Amino acid sequence: MLASLSIRDFVLIEKLDLDFSRGGSGGLGALTGETGAGKSILIDALSLALGARAESGAVRRGAAQASVSASFDLPRNHPAHAVLGEQGLDQEDVLTLRRMIGADGRGRAFVNDQPASVALLRRLGETLVEIQGQMEQHGLLDTATHRQSLDAFAGLEKMAASVAAAWTAWRAAEQAHAEALAAAEAARRDEDFLRHAVKELETLAPKADDEETLAAERQLMRAGSALGEAVAQALGELEQGRGAVAALRSAHRHVERHVDKAAGRLDAALSALDRALSETTEAQAQLEAARDALDFDPSRLEKIEERLFALRAAARKHHVTVPELAALAARFAAQIAALDDGEAGLKKLASAAKTARAAYVTAAEAQAAARRKGAARLDKAVASELGPLKLERAKFVTEVASLPEAEWSAAGIDRVQFTVATNPGAPPAPIAKIASGGELSRFLLALKVCLAKVGDTPTIVFDEVDSGIGGATAAAVGERLKRLAKDVQVLVVTHSPQVAAIADRHWLIRKTTTRNAASTDVLSLDSKGRREEIARMLSGAEVTAEARAAADKLLATAG
């Protein structure tokens, strides 16, 4: 629900802070005032915070910029949280939308004090507030919302989810068939090339690590001659003369014979000879093994280089890297296999797509039938609201029309549209085509009352829904606004004392004019202030005792 609205230097408003919170959701709030006091300015300011188009003329004369902030208390499951999550913005229990407009027309937008686009404000605003005015309405006047509204009213959300899942499965099956068909056609066009390439790659038998392994082996073999010479020289040094191992063994024997007579003085020397003999013997063995392994084979080097060059040539030919050749060979082989067994595979995919289509059609037809039943119930519910609203000659019809297959979607195979016939015998027309603003607002009120429990928008604003009516009709409007306000927060700009009297809260919009300027402010009225304002609405400029008595009666009846 809308918790607060703060306005600075907007049109005639210099500074205004409104608190709409009342310790919970719902409630009916009335905004009244004399004609020209600036009631529409409040609606325009709220619309600006919700992403409406901004103009430099909105900045109060003499000010550098205008700003409007609207704060909302949201439950954790409200759709606005999902939008914030998509954008990576902080999700808090209170959501604040702020808009700033400079005198030069430039503006900035913020969501929870984080810079945002106006488009994001507008997207969030659509989930937060629905404004129903006489000149510009949204929400239920957008035919795109009618199908979802009917589904919610008729309790068809699970069926809608099933239809959407069937649609997704059908489209996926169709795509798989189309891709396989395109691949088969491409394979047939390139069959000669594919078969030659597969044969060539099968002969080459590439492995993902071939290039790395062969390059390392080639490098080792190229260095084999120099390495072998170095190893041979090292062995020669060890074997020169008697040889290092033989010399160490002889020295070890001499010391070992006399070690027990040396009173420990030869123990360390004997240990050192033991270690030296062991390490030297190991070194000689390793050098001999390396000499054998490094035996240079020119024919082996030639074969390695031939394979390495062949792999690189094949990679260049097919515009891939050498490590990718193995995967390419597998893909070419699969294309050939699909070509050889293509008809069977294509028939299988076509059959799957046909089955998926039939499943979607079955689900969508059941949905369409349920929608028609739900539409009849909605029409009956709205009809029961029209008489008291002085629309007894009008007829509300929810049209459920079949769509051509090209227009089928995850939402089903039918179009839903709310239509109205304002006079007996006249054909129903889209609800947005109604000429009278007052009639339109009352139609939307009737429809909103019927759909109150199924929408996500927590706040609805009605701008002069009672235009051109009075007496019992105005009382009926107030009663329906009150009923609607049990489920959502309702704010109504009204000239009707009957509507104002039934409200839970009441704000007075007033304009003050001086010689050089005019300004608008808003007062939250207590019981005494409400009595006086309703009396003014009843009597006009001069408030009489009779008007106050009538106001007392209205307030007592409303209470």
Side-chain angles (χ1 to χ4, degrees):
M1 61 172 283
L2 176 63
S4 64
L5 182 65
S6 296
I7 305 172
R8 300 289 185 272
D9 295 319
F10 183 79
V11 192
L12 297 179
I13 299 174
E14 180 179 359
K15 180 180 179 181
L16 182 62
D17 295 295
L18 290 176
D19 180 9
F20 294 99
S21 61
R22 56 192 305 272
S25 61
L28 173 60
L31 297 101
T32 65
E34 294 182 357
T35 301
K39 296 185 291 297
S40 63
I41 296 176
L42 280 181
I43 305 300
D44 292 342
L46 177 59
S47 298
L48 186 70
L50 300 173
R53 182 178 177 181
E55 297 180 1
S56 59
V59 180
R60 189 176 64 87
R61 184 178 178 182
Q65 68 176 14
S67 68
V68 180
S69 295
S71 295
F72 300 84
D73 290 328
L74 298 180
R76 296 306 302 173
N77 60 347
H78 190 272
H81 289 297
V83 177
L84 293 172
E86 289 176 11
Q87 301 296 318
L89 295 173
D90 294 341
Q91 300 182 49
E92 303 172 4
D93 293 336
V94 176
L95 172 62
T96 300
L97 307 183
R98 181 158 57 99
R99 191 87 175 272
M100 302 176 69
I101 306 297
D104 59 0
R106 296 181 181 179
R108 291 179 292 165
F110 301 87
V111 174
N112 286 346
D113 289 327
Q114 299 175 77
S117 66
V118 174
L120 178 59
L121 254 62
R122 190 178 305 116
R123 186 178 172 194
L124 287 167
E126 290 172 353
T127 72
L128 297 168
V129 179
E130 187 173 326
I131 298 177
Q132 304 291 354
Q134 291 204 44
M135 298 302 294
E136 185 177 0
Q137 294 92 356
H138 304 284
L140 291 174
L141 290 187
D142 182 0
T143 57
T145 68
H146 295 181
R147 188 160 47 192
Q148 183 178 358
S149 296
L150 175 60
D151 285 351
F153 173 82
L156 304 180
E157 291 92 340
K158 289 185 178 179
M159 183 174 283
S162 297
V163 170
W167 165 265
T168 300
W170 176 30
R171 301 324 301 166
E174 287 282 3
Q175 183 176 355
H177 179 237
E179 288 177 353
L181 190 61
E185 290 175 353
R188 276 191 287 271
R189 288 195 303 269
D190 301 331
E191 184 175 359
D192 290 342
F193 164 77
L194 281 173
R195 293 192 182 280
H196 175 76
V198 166
K199 184 176 181 181
E200 182 182 63
L201 291 173
E202 282 179 350
T203 301
L204 196 56
K207 297 185 180 69
D209 62 347
D210 265 353
E211 185 175 35
E212 182 180 356
T213 302
L214 291 170
E217 188 176 354
R218 182 179 66 164
Q219 183 178 3
L220 184 63
M221 291 200 71
R222 281 179 168 178
S225 177
L227 290 172
E229 184 177 346
V231 169
Q233 289 178 347
L235 282 171
E237 292 294 335
L238 289 176
E239 295 170 354
Q240 187 176 4
R242 294 176 57 194
V245 173
L248 285 169
R249 282 178 182 154
S250 178
H252 186 275
R253 282 197 305 271
H254 287 301
V255 173
E256 189 177 29
R257 288 177 190 160
H258 302 283
V259 69
D260 55 346
K261 301 174 185 176
R265 289 182 174 83
L266 294 179
D267 290 350
L270 184 62
S271 295
L273 286 169
D274 277 335
R275 292 194 301 274
L277 181 60
S278 176
E279 292 296 330
T280 305
T281 303
E282 175 65 19
Q284 185 176 23
Q286 291 294 335
L287 286 169
E288 289 171 349
R291 178 193 58 197
D292 296 339
L294 293 171
D295 187 20
F296 179 68
D297 183 358
S299 62
R300 173 61 183 162
L301 177 60
E302 185 178 353
K303 290 178 180 178
I304 289 173
E305 291 185 334
E306 285 179 356
R307 177 165 178 76
L308 188 57
F309 295 155
L311 287 168
R312 289 174 175 172
R316 286 194 300 273
K317 177 180 178 180
H318 295 292
H319 306 289
V320 296
T321 64
V322 173
E324 292 172 335
L325 279 175
L328 180 69
R331 188 163 70 248
F332 282 171
Q335 287 179 283
I336 290 295
L339 187 63
D340 293 338
D341 192 31
E343 288 304 317
L346 288 172
K347 286 180 180 178
K348 185 176 180 180
L349 289 171
S351 177
K354 184 177 180 182
T355 300
R357 180 188 184 280
Y360 167 75
V361 170
T362 298
E365 286 178 345
Q367 180 189 50
R371 279 174 173 163
R372 285 190 286 271
K373 291 181 180 179
R377 296 202 309 274
L378 179 59
D379 293 349
K380 185 176 179 180
V382 174
S384 69
E385 302 290 338
L386 296 181
L389 296 175
K390 207 176 178 179
L391 294 168
E392 63 279 351
R393 293 168 60 83
K395 184 179 181 181
F396 176 84
V397 179
T398 303
E399 292 185 351
V400 181
S402 298
L403 291 168
E405 184 167 343
E407 296 181 32
W408 291 358
S409 70
I413 59 174
D414 42 18
R415 178 191 298 111
V416 176
Q417 186 173 24
F418 297 148
T419 65
V420 170
T422 53
N423 296 300
I431 193 170
K433 301 290 185 181
I434 298 175
S436 166
E439 281 186 342
L440 178 55
S441 293
R442 278 178 278 144
F443 262 114
L444 293 173
L445 174 59
L447 189 52
K448 270 296 177 186
V449 168
C450 297
L451 298 174
K453 295 183 183 296
V454 301
D456 291 319
T457 306
T459 300
I460 303 175
V461 178
F462 286 95
D463 187 6
E464 300 188 7
V465 65
D466 47 16
S467 176
I469 61 172
T473 305
V477 168
E479 188 274 328
R480 278 151 183 80
L481 288 168
K482 187 78 170 181
R483 198 192 323 161
L484 180 59
K486 292 179 181 179
D487 298 296
V488 296
Q489 179 188 36
V490 178
L491 300 174
V492 56
V493 175
T494 179
H495 290 288
S496 168
Q498 291 92 336
V499 173
I502 206 171
D504 299 301
R505 298 185 68 185
H506 191 163
W507 292 272
L508 171 62
I509 303 172
R510 63 183 185 178
K511 182 167 71 173
T512 303
T513 304
T514 64
R515 170 179 274 181
N516 298 320
S519 64
T520 294
D521 62 359
V522 180
L523 297 178
S524 178
L525 299 179
D526 56 15
S527 57
K528 183 178 179 180
R530 291 190 70 186
R531 174 185 185 239
E532 201 68 13
E533 171 62 6
I534 291 172
R536 182 201 63 76
M537 296 171 75
L538 286 165
S539 64
E542 183 179 349
V543 178
T544 64
E546 291 81 2
R548 290 189 177 94
D552 288 335
K553 186 176 180 180
L554 275 178
L555 287 166
T557 303

